[in-house]
Amino acid sequence: MKNNLIIGAALLTFSLSACHNEPTFQVEGTVSGAADKMLYIEHSGLERVEMIDSVKLNEGGRFDFAVNRPESPEFYRLRMDNKIINFAVDSTETVQIKAQYKDFATTYDIKGSDNNVKIKELTLLQAKLQSQVNQLLQSNMPSGLLQDSLKNLVQTYKKEVIKDYIFKSPQASYAYFALFQQLNGAMLFDPLTNKEDIKCFGAVATSLNNLYPHAERSRNIYNMVIKGMKNTRVPKQKEMTIKEDVVQEVSLIDIPLRDLNGKLHHLTDLKGKVVLLDFTVYAATPSGPRNLVLRDLYKKYASKGLEIYQVSLDPNEHFWKTAADNLPWICVRDPQAQYSTYANIYGVTELPTSFLINRSNVVSVRINENTDIETAIKNLL
């Protein structure tokens, strides 16, 4: 009996030991000026960000996380308050990070792999782009000129990233990271309707599928490329068979669609507000600069009665959810995508297309390239 107990205890000890000997990667370092602050390590998954572990820092700011290694390259992040350091992990490496709380997300030092040095470079480049965009938005440019300036700025940025990061090493984690960078919640690269951007996604997808054919990220980006190639093979005139119809001072036709959380929003329920009804495709190149302009207008006039009801015609639901996640207005999606009945009813022949609806639920303005959107909004408010 005694021997059985000894053997049982030994087996239990071995079992518990085996559970704690799974391969791990290490994330260690210091954060100065962060005494009593909470530091979190999180996994940046395809669908959501998940917290893995946390620690309350002392005056020395020392931290050390051990995390089960991923089966294929994955993305993680350190978060302190709303400040984030992104990094990638391939296997069982040790990632060393030294940072200061004040400039946690930008002035950190990272060691462990070339991928993470490049991810930091991309983060700083994106931060510089964001600063330039903010300066433009604070200027007094007419809306048309502002959109052109924003578009040129984004295109210049993309050319640099494509040359120096994506095509330079498409199999690297930093190339994948570059493809999914965002500007104010909008994707910089369009994998579904822009042929040049689809080539970038295709280069990375091919490399990942060769190296990690069973990885979820490999399958996801491959499917995006297939959909993008299918979309761009369709002649433009067949993408949306809609009759042109100028909408002026007509009764409002309701649009009942669901947002990211599945909540149903009726366009007609917004009576009493001035509504900017916007049909768009987040994956299209003009979407990013356009949403920056809309964000500026929303910030100025939401408190005075402006609402934006933005209808996505993106065929990829996951892409839409990712791109629209940080937008402050009502974001809904029509599952019919380019074959949307509502787009047809409103006479949409190109994207993006917008309308202004007055407080009495009457469509008052169809916005075109000559429309001063801000003046039109103020006239209705």
Side-chain angles (χ1 to χ4, degrees), residues 125-140:
L125 285 172
Q126 191 274 339
K128 180 181 177 182
L129 175 65
Q130 183 70 68
S131 177
Q132 292 171 325
V133 165
N134 290 343
Q135 290 177 16
L136 279 176
L137 290 174
Q138 292 169 7
S139 68
N140 294 319

Side-chain angles (χ1 to χ4, degrees), residues 46 180 182 185 187 260 317-326:
L46 284 173
F180 290 91
Q182 297 185 9
M187 295 280 289
L260 283 72
E317 182 178 9
H318 170 70
F319 184 93
W320 163 66
K321 287 183 175 180
T322 301
D325 186 50
N326 295 318

Side-chain angles (χ1 to χ4, degrees), residues 278-314:
D278 186 58
F279 292 89
T280 191
V281 172
Y282 291 119
T285 302
S287 175
R290 182 182 181 82
N291 276 345
L292 291 173
V293 173
L294 294 183
R295 185 183 286 268
D296 188 49
L297 292 169
Y298 191 79
K299 183 178 179 181
K300 288 181 181 179
Y301 300 109
S303 62
K304 299 179 181 180
L306 174 68
E307 185 56 82
I308 297 176
Y309 188 97
Q310 192 167 53
V311 181
S312 161
L313 302 184
D314 290 85

Side-chain angles (χ1 to χ4, degrees), residues 183-198:
L183 186 66
N184 279 10
M187 295 280 289
L188 286 166
F189 288 87
D190 166 15
L192 299 178
T193 62
N194 184 300
K195 288 186 177 181
E196 294 305 313
D197 289 358
I198 291 169

